[in-house]
Amino acid sequence: GQQLNQSPQSMFIQEGEDVSMNCTSSSIFNTWLWYKQDPGEGPVLLIALYKAGELTSNGRLTAQFGITRKDSFLNISASIPSDVGIYFCAGRSGSARQLTFGSGTQLTVLP
Amino acid sequence: DAGVTQSPTHLIKTRGQQVTLRCSPKSGHDTVSWYQQALGQGPQFIFQYYEEEERQRGNFPDRFSGHQFPNYSSELNVNALLLGDSALYLCASSFQGQGNTIYFGEGSWLTVV
């Protein structure tokens, strides 16, 4: 089946620093989504990408759909304490109905 | 505009029992998917419902079943519960015409003892 490799698994950064995380796939996706999940809650959609090469921003967040359609990255600029949480990438390919999720990146922001 | 709502938020069941979880999709959405998220892992797709029919199923046994009602709400049923079924069960909704944008509910925490 499809697999998504998400890295890094965890990050500890100082408040104000920029963050970058990425996902790679063994197969082509036609949609990439990035979610943030806080403890005990459901994933919240941050950014949706629909086209290879697409670069989309949402406030301090920027994500790109890789040109090969097998990867995506998420950048967070000037991190703040409320950025703490687990970030998941998710992809959808072809006629598939389901999302395939990465294993998550646990982000900790130190004051 | 109501988002995706799920109930109950938490429940505890005994091994061998049956459980029913409920989901109301986001207003304007007609497609409901269910995911299972074990602790420390990403969500895993169980199945998707559209027009009251199961359209696609992930790698889950037939102890997991579902239903979609005419108002687009959905239920997830799990029979003969195992300890390994303990997880966060997430409902996700989307609109068929814009199926790429998928929103999740807060989830139902199921503990099997």
Side-chain angles (χ1 to χ4, degrees):
Chain A
Q2 295 171 335
Q3 289 189 344
L4 281 184
N5 296 309
Q6 185 172 351
S7 64
Q9 267 191 322
S10 62
M11 302 181 73
F12 291 81
I13 61 168
Q14 294 293 136
E15 185 175 352
E17 287 185 343
D18 296 345
V19 172
S20 183
M21 59 192 78
N22 69 84
C23 274
T24 59
S25 169
S26 56
S27 53
I28 289 172
F29 284 117
N30 58 18
T31 300
W32 283 96
L33 303 171
W34 284 91
Y35 290 88
K36 177 174 183 274
Q37 187 173 28
D38 291 329
E41 299 183 11
V44 174
L45 181 65
L46 299 174
I47 293 180
L49 302 161
Y50 304 117
K51 209 165 58 169
E54 180 180 357
L55 184 72
T56 298
S57 293
N58 177 10
R60 293 179 296 106
L61 278 60
T62 301
Q64 185 159 27
F65 192 143
I67 199 72
T68 66
R69 298 170 64 192
K70 290 185 177 183
D71 62 332
S72 177
F73 71 76
L74 174 71
N75 286 342
I76 305 173
S77 63
S79 58
I80 59 178
S82 63
D83 291 334
V84 167
I86 302 177
Y87 292 79
F88 287 100
C89 62
R92 198 171 104 158
S93 62
S95 61
R97 312 288 185 195
Q98 76 270 25
L99 292 178
T100 299
F101 278 82
S103 53
T105 295
Q106 170 74 63
L107 178 63
T108 302
V109 179
L110 304 171
Chain B
D1 179 18
V4 182
T5 58
Q6 292 187 241
S7 64
T9 53
H10 295 80
L11 69 167
I12 300 173
K13 290 285 188 177
T14 303
R15 194 170 41 181
Q17 283 188 316
Q18 179 263 346
V19 68
T20 297
L21 308 177
R22 297 175 177 82
C23 171
S24 292
K26 183 177 168 66
S27 178
H29 286 185
D30 57 7
T31 303
V32 173
S33 302
W34 287 92
Y35 289 77
Q36 180 195 65
Q37 186 177 22
L39 209 56
Q41 298 182 19
Q44 299 289 318
F45 176 75
I46 302 175
F47 42 54
Q48 183 182 87
Y49 277 84
Y50 172 68
E51 291 188 337
E52 302 179 48
E53 290 190 357
E54 181 182 298
R55 286 208 302 185
Q56 190 163 16
R57 188 178 185 92
N59 189 26
F60 280 80
D62 56 12
R63 297 186 298 108
F64 290 77
S65 63
H67 189 76
Q68 186 179 34
F69 299 94
N71 66 354
Y72 309 120
S73 66
S74 176
E75 288 182 351
L76 165 66
N77 300 295
V78 186
N79 294 323
L81 285 166
L82 304 174
L83 297 180
D85 294 332
S86 296
L88 178 65
Y89 287 85
L90 295 163
C91 173
S93 79
S94 59
F95 176 58
Q96 178 60 23
Q98 298 172 7
N100 292 321
T101 304
I102 299 169
Y103 295 90
F104 283 83
E106 300 262 317
S108 294
W109 280 101
L110 171 65
T111 301
V112 183
V113 297

